Amino acid sequence: MLYAVVMSASLPPFPRPQEPAGEAELLQLGAPEEEPCLRADAARNRARLLEAAARLIAEHGAAGVTMEAVAAAAQVGKGTVFRRFGDRTGLLMALLDHSAKKLQEDFLGGPPPLGPGAPPLERLRAFGVAVLCRTAEQLDLHLAAEPEPTRRFFHPSHRALTMHVTVLLRQIVPDADCELLARTLLGYLDPALIHHLTRECGMPMERLEAGWADLVARVTGTGATH
């Protein structure tokens, strides 16, 4: 949907950058309604359902994952699947959470340049490459799990990635509106765009990775890298 925007003669100043949030404060992933500690039997049932869904994806693609099919594969009632995940999107998002948690672990405490220990600019470049590779490997699942706009940007995994990129940008360009810049950069990593560029336009991943490095350099004013 397009919006008409009236620009004033002089733009307001950027909001004063907040102190960079510590990376340990990044959001924990998982459905917001999920209990911190599931009962042992509930945790086992959840793992069993996710394993069944993963098998269905491996055998039939993401289109083969329905609540009914997962219930049958896991040998549980359909109501159990709905109670655990709410709907099909919730189930698919739960599948993505595993790799999202791994990515978060990597940029929170993994080796540099993705993890701590490298300059923030290098970490930002490495982050984009990691997300591009992860998304390309699970592209069908990402597209099938895409929630409607009212849910998409509030999902904990998306919020965690936005926070991480914002933290890095505040260290590189502290006078910028880093929250909006972070969302701009993450738009480049959108699964639907990656699908369009790689599968419909035939672009190799190497070009997308180079494009990320170029975009980061231009957004941060740090110059091209070779």
Side-chain angles (χ1 to χ4, degrees):
M1 182 177 185
L2 297 177
Y3 295 88
V5 179
V6 178
M7 301 296 292
S8 62
S10 60
L11 293 174
F14 287 132
R16 176 177 295 179
Q18 302 173 1
E19 289 300 315
E23 292 198 81
E25 298 174 6
L26 287 175
L27 297 172
Q28 294 299 312
L29 301 183
E33 70 276 6
E34 188 172 309
E35 298 175 6
C37 296
L38 293 173
R39 290 181 294 118
D41 57 341
R44 283 193 295 269
N45 284 339
R46 186 176 191 276
R48 186 172 160 193
L49 291 169
L50 290 176
E51 288 171 4
R55 287 198 304 272
L56 288 172
I57 288 178
E59 295 170 2
H60 307 291
V65 178
T66 66
M67 305 298 265
E68 294 81 2
V70 171
Q75 298 182 331
V76 300
K78 184 172 66 174
T80 300
V81 187
F82 278 96
R83 284 192 298 274
R84 182 64 262 167
F85 301 106
D87 56 17
R88 182 173 181 270
T89 295
L91 171 62
L92 295 173
M93 290 301 294
L95 279 171
L96 285 177
D97 270 352
H98 176 72
S99 60
K101 287 176 181 177
K102 179 62 170 65
L103 176 65
Q104 188 177 17
E105 290 170 1
D106 288 344
F107 66 65
L108 278 175
L114 182 58
L121 182 60
E122 290 184 20
R123 296 188 66 194
L124 185 56
R125 294 176 186 138
F127 168 83
V129 172
V131 173
L132 281 170
C133 293
R134 168 178 166 266
T135 302
E137 290 173 358
Q138 303 174 318
L139 195 49
D140 290 339
L141 177 57
H142 274 278
L143 295 176
E146 186 73 13
E148 65 270 16
T150 56
R151 295 171 61 182
R152 178 181 182 187
F153 297 107
F154 285 101
H155 191 273
S157 63
H158 190 277
R159 292 169 63 193
L161 299 186
T162 302
M163 178 70 76
H164 178 62
V165 175
T166 301
V167 168
L168 295 178
L169 285 171
R170 284 176 181 158
Q171 298 173 50
I172 303 168
V173 282
D175 295 330
D177 189 334
C178 295
E179 183 179 356
L180 286 180
L181 285 183
R183 295 179 185 276
T184 299
L185 288 174
L186 287 172
Y188 182 89
L189 305 175
D190 182 75
L193 178 60
I194 294 172
H195 173 270
H196 172 68
L197 295 178
T198 58
R199 297 191 179 178
E200 297 177 348
C201 298
M203 290 187 188
M205 285 298 297
E206 292 80 6
R207 183 175 176 185
L208 269 64
E209 292 175 11
W212 170 259
D214 182 56
L215 179 62
V216 167
R218 294 176 187 276
V219 166
T220 60
T222 51
T225 60
H226 301 283

